[in-house]
Amino acid sequence: MSKQYRLFISHSWAYGDAYERVIELLDRQNLSYYDHSVPMNNPIHTNGTGKELYEAIKNKISGTNCVLILAGVYSTYSTWINKEIEISKAFGKPIIAIEPWGAEKTSTIVKNNADVIVKWQGASIVKAIKELG
């Protein structure tokens, strides 16, 4: 029986399609995983306070093997991705930075805090998860 990895996949709601593509990449690799991410349709995003969202993210990250963060340049300007990095570090969770396909500019904040940086390829992402998780 293969190990099931517990993952928090960070995503900015404005870039939800990138999150979906990461899920597709993982699924194509037949990785057994549980996604701890706070779903986009969770009412906490529209009806909750910043503190409630922070606590929800903190609770989700606490039970993971590792955290995947898209290292697009937009991440540099995301308050929530910065908080996810802070929470991950506090729990000692390894961070995998995923460089978007064909991106010329990437987030130095995400990459500087990552335990490993991988390209936008399912095999590379899964290899990092298995090594760190």
Side-chain angles (χ1 to χ4, degrees), residues 37-58:
S37 305
V38 178
M40 193 181 315
N41 59 1
N42 186 319
I44 199 163
H45 295 292
T46 53
N47 300 331
T49 65
K51 184 176 184 337
E52 288 170 330
L53 181 56
Y54 182 89
E55 288 301 316
I57 291 170
K58 184 175 156 187

Side-chain angles (χ1 to χ4, degrees), residues 97-111:
I98 304 170
E99 291 185 320
W101 186 260
E104 293 180 21
K105 293 183 178 181
T106 55
S107 171
T108 53
I109 290 170
V110 172
K111 290 177 15 178

Side-chain angles (χ1 to χ4, degrees), residues 1-9 22-36 65-68 96 98 121-133:
M1 192 162 112
S2 65
K3 176 177 179 175
Q4 183 181 54
Y5 295 88
R6 299 178 108 33
L7 308 174
F8 182 91
I9 305 167
V22 169
I23 295 293
E24 288 172 19
L25 288 172
L26 294 175
D27 289 346
R28 283 191 208 132
Q29 295 294 314
N30 296 316
L31 180 72
S32 177
Y33 70 94
Y34 179 84
D35 183 1
H36 281 259
N65 296 104
C66 54
V67 176
L68 282 63
I96 299 170
I98 304 170
Q121 299 167 330
S124 300
I125 298 167
V126 168
K127 181 177 184 247
I129 291 167
K130 288 181 175 180
E131 287 175 359
L132 296 172

Side-chain angles (χ1 to χ4, degrees), residues 81-123:
I81 289 176
N82 288 318
K83 289 177 193 280
E84 290 165 358
I85 290 170
E86 172 189 309
I87 293 166
S88 299
K89 293 281 190 190
F91 282 118
K93 303 296 179 179
I95 297 172
I96 299 170
I98 304 170
E99 291 185 320
W101 186 260
E104 293 180 21
K105 293 183 178 181
T106 55
S107 171
T108 53
I109 290 170
V110 172
K111 290 177 15 178
N112 287 344
N113 284 285
D115 293 276
V116 66
I117 302 166
V118 298
K119 298 293 182 190
W120 188 266
Q121 299 167 330

